[in-house]
């Protein structure tokens, strides 16, 4: 029983990273009904940039805000280069453009930082702490604290600030918001900037556990996408719960069935969600006008 609890807790903490990346999908979908399919590459690029900043001798606690700022800038680049024109033309071209951006980012990372995975130093201790027979490292706890803090602050920003209320207004009805004088373009830029910020935070949090490499995006993005689809693209609470569940499930599957089946739970949940609950378990049913 202790083994199951240990695997479940460790996997669930890792699942919070999937939830944070999935939350980035929700932010851009809310305002523009578009998704950055290169979100995983933003995680990878932000992690590499943060590692480079740290290698320059910048203290870890200054590297974190610098890395987040780089994530925001990368998110704005995606919006300007890969998404804005397609949205203005009311086409679905952003799908292909964000995929191309991801491929370009992967190629750039290989050429700049090399193909080998690199360790990501952190001052946070990796000595395990024991709770009721379960071992948790401070690095794993920092993932939970970081993910929940960032998501909580963004939700607070959306509810308590003028920019946040503009975000909610464009999410609810873009045309009505524009009639009220709210700039939909700037609000979409804001959503992509925030999406880049959460991607950078995910990269900084997960890299001390997984190392940094050009292929880290592919390992994360499919699971994050599964979390977003299963939870629904409009429920921040839902992505946290589904992320915890998927992380625990894949950890147990990897131990009891084999590491080769680690990706299976996410794929099965994705198929079931698309077949039975296309709007997600926590998503709102869409109403189509006829």
């Amino acid at each position: 029983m202790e083994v199951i609890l240990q695997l479940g807790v460790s996997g669930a903490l890792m699942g919070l990273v999937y939830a944070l990346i999935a939350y980035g999908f929700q932010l851009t979908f809310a305002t523009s009904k578009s998704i950055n399919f290169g979100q995983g590459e933003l995680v990878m690029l932000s992690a590499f940039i943060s590692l480079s900043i740290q290698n320059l001798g910048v203290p870890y606690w200054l590297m974190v805000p610098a890395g987040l700022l780089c994530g925001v800038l990368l998110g704005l680049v995606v919006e300007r280069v890969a998404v804005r024109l397609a949205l203005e033309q009311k086409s679905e071209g952003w799908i292909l453009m964000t995929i191309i951006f991801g491929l370009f980012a992967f190629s750039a990372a290989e050429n700049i930082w090399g193909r080998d995975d690199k360790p990501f130093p952190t001052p946070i201790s990796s000595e395990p702490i024991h709770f009721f027979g379960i071992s948790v490292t401070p690095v794993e706890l920092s993932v939970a604290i970081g993910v929940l803090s960032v998501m909580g602050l963004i939700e607070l920003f959306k509810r308590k600030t003028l920019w946040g209320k503009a975000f909610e207004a464009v999410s609810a009805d873009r045309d009505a918001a524009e009639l009220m004088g709210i700039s939909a373009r700037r609000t979409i830029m804001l959503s992509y900037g925030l999406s880049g910020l959460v991607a950078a935070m995910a990269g900084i949090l997960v890299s001390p556990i997984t190392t940094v490499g050009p292929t880290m995006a592919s390992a994360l993005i499919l699971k994050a996408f599964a979390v977003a689809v299963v939870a629904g693209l409009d429920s921040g609470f839902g992505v946290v719960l589904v992320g915890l569940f998927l992380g625990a499930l894949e950890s147990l599957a990897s131990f009891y069935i084999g590491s080769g089946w680690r990706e299976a739970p996410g794929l099965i949940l994705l198929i079931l969600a698309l077949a039975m609950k296309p709007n997600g378990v926590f998503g709102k049913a869409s109403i189509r006008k006829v």
Side-chain angles (χ1 to χ4, degrees):
M1 187 64 184
E2 281 188 8
V3 174
I4 294 175
L5 286 174
Q6 179 66 61
L7 290 169
V9 169
S10 298
L13 290 172
M14 187 65 188
L16 283 173
V17 176
Y18 310 151
L20 186 58
I21 301 171
Y23 186 61
F25 289 142
Q26 290 186 340
L27 289 170
T28 57
F29 186 78
T31 58
S32 62
K33 301 297 179 273
S34 66
I35 289 175
N36 176 17
F37 285 96
Q39 186 77 356
E41 280 71 21
L42 283 192
V43 175
M44 177 265 294
L45 280 181
S46 299
F48 266 126
I49 292 171
S50 300
L51 178 62
S52 298
I53 293 172
Q54 201 171 187
N55 288 339
L56 292 174
V58 176
Y60 181 87
W61 306 111
L62 289 178
M63 175 276 294
V64 173
L68 296 181
L69 178 61
C70 291
V72 171
L73 294 175
L74 286 171
L76 292 175
V77 169
V78 172
E79 187 277 333
R80 182 64 187 89
V81 174
V83 175
R84 185 182 298 181
L85 183 60
L87 292 180
E88 288 177 351
Q89 294 176 342
K90 300 186 184 303
S91 75
E92 307 298 325
W94 53 267
I95 298 175
L96 191 56
M97 288 297 288
T98 54
I99 292 173
I100 291 172
F101 174 85
L103 294 173
F104 181 79
F106 175 79
S107 178
E110 275 196 335
N111 284 287
I112 295 172
W113 290 285
R115 295 183 176 181
D116 296 333
D117 290 351
K118 295 176 172 55
F120 193 96
T122 174
I124 303 172
S125 171
S126 57
E127 288 296 319
I129 304 170
H130 303 283
F131 296 101
F132 305 105
I134 299 171
S135 300
V136 181
T137 65
V139 173
E140 291 175 321
L141 288 177
S142 73
V143 171
I145 294 170
V147 169
L148 297 178
S149 298
V150 167
M151 292 179 69
L153 287 173
I154 291 177
E155 288 299 315
L156 200 63
F157 168 81
K158 287 162 62 178
R159 287 167 172 74
K160 298 295 182 183
T161 68
L162 199 58
W163 275 99
K165 293 184 186 303
F167 188 105
E168 298 285 37
V170 172
S171 302
D173 190 325
R174 175 175 174 166
D175 293 334
E178 287 186 318
L179 288 174
M180 297 295 290
I182 297 172
S183 170
R185 174 186 289 185
R186 290 182 181 176
T187 308
I188 292 171
M189 287 175 62
L190 173 66
S191 69
Y192 269 86
L194 291 174
S195 175
L197 184 144
V198 300
M201 192 66 186
I204 292 170
L205 289 172
V206 78
S207 294
I209 300 173
T210 63
T211 70
V212 186
T215 58
M216 68 184 291
S218 58
L220 294 169
I221 197 65
L222 181 61
K223 297 165 189 175
F225 191 69
V227 169
V229 171
V230 173
L233 284 168
D234 50 13
S235 173
F237 177 71
V239 293
V240 172
L241 285 186
V242 175
L244 289 169
F245 178 70
L246 177 59
L249 197 60
E250 72 171 15
S251 179
L252 291 168
S254 177
F255 182 78
Y256 284 105
I257 306 175
S259 58
W261 293 95
R262 189 178 181 84
E263 316 297 335
L267 294 173
I268 293 171
L269 286 178
L270 185 59
I271 293 169
L272 289 175
L274 290 173
M276 301 171 67
K277 294 280 289 184
N279 293 312
V281 176
F282 299 94
K284 298 173 184 173
S286 59
I287 300 173
R288 182 175 297 175
K289 295 178 180 178
V290 295

